[in-house]
Each structure stands twice: as structure tokens, then as C-alpha cells.
Amino acid sequence: MRGNFRLRQLAPLGITAIALLTLAACAESYPNTTFDPHSDLGRAIDDLWDRLLLLGTIVFVLVEAALLFVVFRYRHRPTDTGKPPQTHGNSVLEIMWTLIPAFILLFIAVPTVKTIFQTQANAPAGALEIEVIGHQWWWEFRYPEYKIVTANEIYIPTGRTINLKMTSQDVIHSFWIPQLSGKRDVIANRTNYIWFKADSTLGPAVWNGFCTEYCGASHAKMRFRVFTVKPDQFASWVAGQQKPAAYGAAPNAPPPMLPPFPGARHTNEGSNPTPPINPAVTAPTGAATATLASAGPAYSFPRNQAEFEYAKPHTPVPGGLSFTPGLTGNAARGQQVYSSAACIGCHTITGNPMSMGSAGPNLTHFGSRATIGAGSFPNTPAYLALWIKNARAMKPGILMPTLGKNQYDPQLKQPVTTGGLDDQQIADIVAYLTSLK
Ligand code: CUA
């Protein structure tokens, strides 16, 4: 009786929980779900999952029903006396419970093995090859067909098979775009492939990508963005990326000016800092713009769409890191500071002959990217200034040194004294990098 009473108390709770779980499935946007695939590979994996879930559910229901039936039908009753009839062996039953699971496994194994062979096969001819190189903790992307190098953001045309050729510069990483591809390990001294075709029905869209193999301190900040765009938009983007840097490639370009620096009011409160937005950063004026305009503006994914809630980084800025408000950056000066600072040892900017390093991300078209720090922060002047000032405080363990004068370097465990950059120099570098559309 007591058991019945508790059951009656718990039933409403259970029903509410089930109802809530069911309602949760009605939410509109789950950008990182694998159950809403937008590529051939994604659908192949999803179909397999659906089939397994269906067969698994049928087996579960039948087995549990049989179990409950036996438990209730043959339970001990007060009128029972002595042992129930004893049984030793039942050939028919044993053959049945061997054959039925074997039959079910056939329905699981055949499509599974077929899908594995499909996804392990070589990519079809005509696929667009993109090299993926994992670094601690960012992604290098190379398009050998177009001689483009970029970082942490890839553009892919819809309706064309993309063949990703992956390797690692250091430890094991894993590449994953939940709504477009399965996962692949990214391993040094080994080349793994994954290929898929984003649906041609897709409009321009942004997708989250992740490293899904623990790879060190900033594993969680090893993200990337994938932009699926129409073939003509892709062609335009390629043409833009093939050009040298938008600023500084033309000799004696007049210095673009950034508007006064917004106050950096970053705090550590909450997980979603709202840095001051600086909408006034525009293309550089003068010669640099003229060179670009003559060739027509290259396509890049609209920034307001690239910052859909789900694609917007939410990493908090460490408390105590701030930037002098009201500074005006000068790109020409910034180029000089950049070219004589440690930056050039690690970064390449095509068109800036001083900048040929390869340890860090290629920055040739940095200004057109939506995020910094491998998807960790929005690419705005305010965040970029803090990043240059003390990247190691914003993303633990990284190679990028702490550059701000008197900033505490968490890896060297001492403040930067000689050779550190002051806020004005950083504002100038920000103006320079921001102009590299
Ligand atoms: Cu790379 Cu985790």
C-alpha cells in the first residue's frame, strides 16, 4: 500500500518531466545538433542513427514488455506452495533467441558497413580540396587550388564536394562541424580525409566548428567558423583572398584613421560581456581603397549575419584587462610598429614583405574575419586591442606573447618591461590589422 501511495505521488512529477523534455524538442534553433544535417555526409550518418534508434526502441519495448509480463504473471502469491515446475533446456526457444537478434543485427550491420565504406572512400573527382592543419589552438586552412591561406574561418561553396585533407602540427586534435560533417581525428605525420557536399539548397549560412579531442589548456578555445555560400559568392571571395593585403601593398597609401578608441569596459561578470560596439570602422580611404574598388569589392559573409547568436563567441574577458579609452589608431604607423615588433616572426601578411612568419595564423585578410583567438572573441577593435595587449591572459597557454607594456605575462610569470607596446602603439596596430579586409 505504502508503495502505491509513493507511486501516486511521483507520477505527476514523472509526467511533468516527460512533458518538459518533449517540449524542449520544439525549440527552433539547435545550431550544434547533428540531428538537422545539411550535407550528404551528415544525412548518411543521421539516417543510420535513425535506423539504430528505431530498431533499438523496438527491441527495448519487446524485451521490457516480456520482462514485465513474466514478473507480474509469475510473481509469488500467498497461495503458492512448493517449487514451481523446473525446466531444463528448450531448443526451440534457444534457436529463436539466437536467430531473432542475428536477424536484427543484419539490418543494422549492412547499412552501417555500407556507410563506413562510403565515407572512407576517396572523394569524387572535382572535389574542392582544403588542407586543414591543426595547431595548439587554432586551425590553418589552405586552398591549394586557389593558393589561399587563411585561419579559423573557411568559406565553402554549396553544391560542390569539399575534400578536407587533415594533419596536425603538434598534438592530436579532432575536426567537427556538427551540422555538416562527422568527426575526424587530426594527427601529426598522418593525413586523414573527410569529404561532404553542403546542400545546394542552402543560402549563405554560418556554422560552428570545434576541436573535439582534448589537446591542452585552450582546447575549448579551438573553434572555427564555416561559411557556406553560393558558388558565385565563393568565386568572388576567392578573388578577394588571392589579392595581397588591402593595406600597405600599395606604396605610400595615405594612413587610414580609426575613430577614437571606445572605452574598454570589460568585466568578468557573467559569461556574456557586451563590449562597446564600434560600428565606425570603415574601409581605409585613399589608394588602398582605390586598388580594391577597381577590381570590384570581394564578397565576404555579412558581418551582422556572421554574428548570429549561436556563432557569436561568449568568452569572458579576464577582469583587470582594460584599454585606454579615446585613442585614435593610425594604420600607417601601425604597419610600422607591427613590422618592427615580434608580430612578423610568427605571422604572414601577403603584401607586407617584413611579415613572413608561419608559427601563427596568416593575417593577410584579417580585417574580413568575424572572430579572433580561434573563435574565442568577436573581431572588433576593442577585443583586438585587448588581445594584442595580453593574449595569454585571454587564452591560456598560447604562443602569442603578452605584448602590452607592464602587462603580467601568465606564462613567464613576470610583467613585460622592455620592448612592451603602449596603448597608442597597440591602437595603431589595431588600425592596421582592421584595414586588412
Ligand atoms: Cu585541438 Cu582540442
Side-chain angles (χ1 to χ4, degrees), residues 42-66:
R43 257 189 308 282
I45 297 171
D46 190 51
D47 288 349
L48 210 51
W49 157 262
D50 286 347
R51 178 186 288 253
L52 285 176
L53 184 69
L54 177 70
L55 292 173
T57 306
I58 293 173
V59 169
F60 175 81
V61 169
L62 290 179
V63 168
E64 293 304 307

Side-chain angles (χ1 to χ4, degrees), residues 43-128:
R43 257 189 308 282
I45 297 171
D46 190 51
D47 288 349
L48 210 51
W49 157 262
D50 286 347
R51 178 186 288 253
L52 285 176
L53 184 69
L54 177 70
L55 292 173
T57 306
I58 293 173
V59 169
F60 175 81
V61 169
L62 290 179
V63 168
E64 293 304 307
L67 182 71
L68 288 175
F69 172 76
V70 170
V71 164
F72 282 102
R73 174 74 178 74
Y74 298 105
R75 71 186 186 278
H76 180 78
R77 292 184 172 90
T79 53
D80 287 347
T81 50
K83 282 185 178 177
Q86 300 296 299
T87 311
H88 295 283
N90 185 328
S91 303
V92 176
L93 202 60
E94 284 164 21
I95 290 172
M96 289 290 283
W97 75 43
T98 308
L99 282 184
I100 292 175
F103 191 67
I104 294 171
L105 281 180
L106 205 66
F107 276 87
I108 292 173
V110 169
T112 304
V113 173
K114 210 175 117 194
T115 309
I116 290 174
F117 275 97
Q118 266 173 13
T119 60
Q120 295 293 320
N122 290 335
L128 168 63

Side-chain angles (χ1 to χ4, degrees), residues 75-209:
R75 71 186 186 278
H76 180 78
R77 292 184 172 90
T79 53
D80 287 347
T81 50
K83 282 185 178 177
Q86 300 296 299
T87 311
H88 295 283
N90 185 328
S91 303
V92 176
L93 202 60
E94 284 164 21
I95 290 172
M96 289 290 283
W97 75 43
T98 308
L99 282 184
I100 292 175
F103 191 67
I104 294 171
L105 281 180
L106 205 66
F107 276 87
I108 292 173
V110 169
T112 304
V113 173
K114 210 175 117 194
T115 309
I116 290 174
F117 275 97
Q118 266 173 13
T119 60
Q120 295 293 320
N122 290 335
L128 168 63
E129 187 177 291
I130 304 176
E131 292 173 6
V132 177
I133 302 158
H135 297 257
Q136 278 175 314
W137 293 272
W138 59 282
W139 300 92
E140 182 178 348
F141 296 112
R142 295 170 167 266
Y143 296 69
E145 185 178 331
Y146 303 117
K147 300 187 167 48
I148 293 172
V149 183
T150 182
N152 303 322
E153 289 184 7
I154 36 173
Y155 281 63
I156 59 176
T158 55
R160 180 173 175 191
T161 300
I162 310 299
N163 187 22
L164 296 159
K165 185 182 175 188
M166 311 179 175
T167 190
S168 169
Q169 188 73 20
D170 36 57
V171 300
I172 299 177
H173 305 275
S174 181
F175 181 96
W176 190 35
I177 315 163
Q179 290 199 299
L180 293 176
S181 76
K183 292 178 185 173
R184 274 288 185 280
D185 276 355
V186 178
I187 303 170
N189 298 321
R190 188 190 157 86
T191 305
N192 279 348
Y193 292 88
I194 196 167
W195 51 268
F196 61 86
K197 179 158 64 177
D199 295 344
S200 51
T201 49
L202 280 178
V206 55
W207 312 93
N208 291 325

Side-chain angles (χ1 to χ4, degrees), residues 186-261:
V186 178
I187 303 170
N189 298 321
R190 188 190 157 86
T191 305
N192 279 348
Y193 292 88
I194 196 167
W195 51 268
F196 61 86
K197 179 158 64 177
D199 295 344
S200 51
T201 49
L202 280 178
V206 55
W207 312 93
N208 291 325
F210 304 92
C211 176
T212 54
E213 177 83 42
Y214 180 71
C215 55
S218 283
H219 156 70
K221 295 185 176 118
M222 185 169 172
R223 304 177 205 174
F224 57 100
R225 298 282 178 278
V226 181
F227 299 106
T228 49
V229 296
K230 292 291 177 194
D232 55 327
Q233 294 166 330
F234 180 73
S236 168
W237 176 80
V238 165
Q241 293 286 309
Q242 285 174 328
K243 293 200 185 82
Y247 179 80
N252 302 324
M257 302 290 281
L258 266 188
F261 232 81

